């Protein structure tokens, strides 16, 4: 028997083709998107505007199954972190940051990561597998329809586990669903891909989808970046900045991108580094997001003092860059990259987590 397809991860385009094969009109695609992603209904029997014959046919060839929530953690600050179980049993993280005006969801695109950045808990775990598009969009579905909070997700960041641009097809398919007016209808400003710099895929990204881009730079020169973000050996800073400029140019209205820079004590946090960074970024339309290093079990790096981080920030602001330094809330989240799963396997819970429960 043929394996059933999981329609949760199908974009409008894919659903249209799927229904065409069944000799059904294309408006079925919109109906299905709306049931799944606007009403949160995944039981085909409840989809009353699909006739009974079609529903029966669908049930023999397709399923609509979200990934499972394995565990929930709630931090003191209200940030919620989830361990999500994939079809294979592998576990990834998802983080929900509730704020007054927005609800941001940090999603994973891979279980583990092959790129081994020296400051990253996910990198330390190595690569396990790519997520399917249903497992990526499934995180947003769970956050909107399964988790007990009454506000829909307004912003998505691909800052959980994995390198999104190394799971290109599935990530693009999931983003198409996020943006579609028949499903979540999120604008490009509300969806951010964070990448360590997979240059060939940054170059083709504009052809496939229009989203916000964040670059995990973390070092102002190739020598240091080769060391802490090893993919830089393959795609050095100059080619990366060039690809970013092209991405921005591909769209008519003015865009900026975000440069992420983790501050690690005695590694990349001196005033000299700040000066080099400012020089490097002068001609790039960007804002800078400084992230205090979050330590994890097995890492020797430290977070710089607040005073030192502020000197770094002030220098960049003085040079005209919009620069933010996250100190509390978002902190726990950006730094969540791979840390919960790592913690779980070491049976050590992060200190900010005050309660956890199985779902
Ligand atoms: N692979 C992508 C997206 C996932 S990482 C990327 O590298 O951009 C998401 C963000 O979390 C990146 O900016 C990453 O550098 C950051 N991050 C990873 N480990 C961290 C740590 N220990 N402390 C603070 N930020 C960290
Ligand atoms: Fe992978 Fe991003 Fe972690 Fe680097 S920072 S190891 S690219 S997940």
């Amino acid at each position: 028997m043929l394996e059933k397809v999981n329609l949760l991860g199908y974009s409008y385009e894919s659903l249209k083709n799927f229904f065409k094969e069944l000799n059904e009109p294309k408006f079925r695609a919109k109906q299905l998107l709306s049931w799944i992603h606007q009403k949160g209904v995944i039981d085909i029997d409840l989809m009353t505007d699909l006739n009974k014959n079609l529903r029966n046919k669908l049930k023999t060839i397709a399923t609509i199954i979200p990934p499972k929530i394995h565990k929930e953690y709630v931090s003191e600050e209200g940030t919620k972190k989830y361990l999500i179980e994939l079809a294979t049993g592998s576990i990834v993280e998802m983080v929900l940051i509730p704020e007054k005006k927005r609800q941001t969801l940090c999603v994973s695109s891979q279980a583990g990561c092959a790129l081994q950045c020296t400051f990253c808990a996910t990198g330390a775990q190595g690569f396990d597998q790519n997520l399917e598009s249903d497992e990526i969009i499934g995180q947003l579905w769970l956050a909107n329809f399964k988790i007990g909070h009454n506000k829909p997700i307004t912003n998505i960041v691909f800052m959980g586990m994995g390198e999104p641009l190394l799971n290109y097809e599935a990530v693009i398919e999931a983003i198409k669903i996020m943006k579609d007016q028949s499903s979540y209808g999120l604008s490009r400003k509300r969806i951010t891909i964070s990448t360590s710099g997979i240059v060939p895929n940054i170059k083709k990204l504009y052809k496939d989808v229009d989203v916000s881009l964040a670059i995990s730079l973390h070092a102002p020169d190739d020598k240091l970046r080769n060391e802490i973000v090893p993919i830089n050996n393959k795609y050095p800073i100059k080619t990366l900045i060039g690809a970013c400029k092209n991405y921005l140019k591909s769209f008519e209205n003015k865009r900026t991108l975000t440069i992420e820079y983790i501050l690690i004590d005695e590694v990349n946090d001196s005033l000299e580094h700040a000066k080099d960074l400012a020089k490097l970024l002068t001609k790039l339309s960007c804002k800078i997001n400084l992230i205090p290093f979050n330590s994890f079990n097995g890492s020797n790096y430290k977070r710089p003092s607040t005073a030192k981080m502020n000197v770094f920030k002030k220098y960049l602001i003085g040079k005209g860059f919009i620069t933010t330094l996250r100190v509390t809330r978002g902190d726990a989240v950006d730094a969540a990259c791979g840390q919960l799963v790592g913690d779980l396997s070491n049976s050590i819970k992060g200190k900010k987590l005050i309660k956890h429960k199985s779902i």
Side-chain angles (χ1 to χ4, degrees), residues 6 12 16 21 54 85 137 140 152 173 257 280 289 291-292 298 304 319 327:
N6 189 354
Y12 175 65
K16 220 170 59 179
E21 300 268 301
L54 176 59
E85 191 180 326
I137 197 68
L140 177 55
E173 184 79 348
L257 53 85
L280 178 70
N289 188 4
I291 310 165
K319 285 286 165 187
V327 212

Side-chain angles (χ1 to χ4, degrees), residues 106-107 109-110 113 115 117-123 158-165 193-197 214-218 229 260-264 291-296 299 301 303 331 333-339:
C106 173
V107 296
S109 55
Q110 299 182 310
C113 182
L115 299 186
C117 302
T118 53
F119 47 80
C120 174
T122 305
F158 281 83
M159 293 184 185
M161 296 174 78
E163 170 47 56
L165 294 187
I193 289 187
S194 172
T195 178
S196 56
I215 302 294
S216 290
L217 193 64
H218 310 317
V229 184
E260 295 167 279
Y261 193 102
I262 297 185
L263 287 167
I264 311 170
I291 310 165
F293 169 71
N294 208 56
S295 78
F296 57 93
S299 171
Y301 288 147
R303 175 182 292 203
D331 205 17
V333 170
D334 277 333
C337 184
Q339 296 185 357

Side-chain angles (χ1 to χ4, degrees), residues 286-316:
C286 65
K287 56 182 188 204
I288 303 170
N289 188 4
L290 300 173
I291 310 165
F293 169 71
N294 208 56
S295 78
F296 57 93
N297 212 26
S299 171
N300 295 325
Y301 288 147
K302 286 195 196 70
R303 175 182 292 203
S305 68
T306 307
K308 213 169 164 196
M309 293 195 288
N310 278 327
V311 170
F312 201 98
K313 177 182 155 184
K314 274 195 186 131
Y315 180 81
L316 294 172

Side-chain angles (χ1 to χ4, degrees), residues 13-192:
E13 220 42 51
S14 308
L15 281 174
K16 220 170 59 179
N17 292 336
F18 172 81
F19 281 115
K20 200 172 168 195
E21 300 268 301
L22 300 179
N23 288 323
E24 289 286 335
K26 58 183 180 204
F27 68 78
R28 296 285 182 221
K30 283 198 188 256
Q31 287 176 314
L32 206 78
L33 281 176
S34 168
W35 277 114
I36 302 174
H37 300 290
Q38 289 186 331
K39 303 186 185 89
V41 172
I42 52 174
D43 181 346
I44 292 171
D45 278 327
L46 299 179
M47 301 180 175
T48 44
D49 55 4
L50 309 182
N51 62 57
K52 197 145 189 224
N53 276 348
L54 176 59
R55 294 203 306 255
N56 286 338
K57 189 150 52 157
L58 278 182
K59 283 192 288 179
T60 62
I61 54 174
T63 56
I64 305 167
I65 306 180
K68 286 197 201 90
I69 297 175
H70 178 76
K71 237 181 180 108
E72 176 190 63
Y73 301 77
V74 183
S75 80
E76 285 165 35
E77 306 141 337
T79 304
K80 293 178 171 179
K81 309 187 180 194
Y82 299 87
L83 295 184
I84 304 292
E85 191 180 326
L86 309 178
T88 54
S90 286
I91 302 270
V92 296
E93 296 174 9
M94 167 178 105
V95 181
L96 175 70
I97 315 147
E99 286 169 299
K100 263 198 193 127
K101 288 198 177 148
R102 39 181 213 186
Q103 309 286 313
T104 302
L105 190 71
C106 173
V107 296
S108 291
S109 55
Q110 299 182 310
C113 182
L115 299 186
Q116 304 205 307
C117 302
T118 53
F119 47 80
C120 174
T122 305
Q125 289 163 34
F127 178 69
D128 178 6
Q129 66 170 95
N130 276 329
L131 267 64
E132 302 286 344
S133 62
D134 53 89
E135 292 169 327
I136 299 171
I137 197 68
Q139 295 170 63
L140 177 55
W141 188 91
L142 287 171
N144 270 345
F145 301 114
K146 185 90 178 175
I147 289 163
H149 75 113
N150 50 15
K151 292 184 185 160
I153 299 298
T154 58
N155 294 65
I156 306 272
V157 291
F158 281 83
M159 293 184 185
M161 296 174 78
E163 170 47 56
L165 294 187
L166 286 181
N167 185 12
Y168 192 80
E169 304 296 329
V171 165
I172 298 298
E173 184 79 348
I175 290 178
K176 284 182 178 163
I177 306 172
M178 292 169 185
K179 297 187 74 177
D180 201 307
Q181 289 303 331
S182 301
S183 35
Y184 302 93
L186 297 175
S187 73
R188 61 137 178 118
K189 285 190 179 166
R190 295 178 176 274
I191 304 171
T192 303

Side-chain angles (χ1 to χ4, degrees), residues 211-234:
V211 280
S212 301
L213 200 55
I215 302 294
S216 290
L217 193 64
H218 310 317
D221 62 79
D222 281 326
K223 189 167 176 286
L224 179 58
R225 196 164 191 268
N226 283 344
E227 230 174 85
I228 65 177
V229 184
I231 192 67
N232 193 73
N233 289 284
K234 197 165 177 189

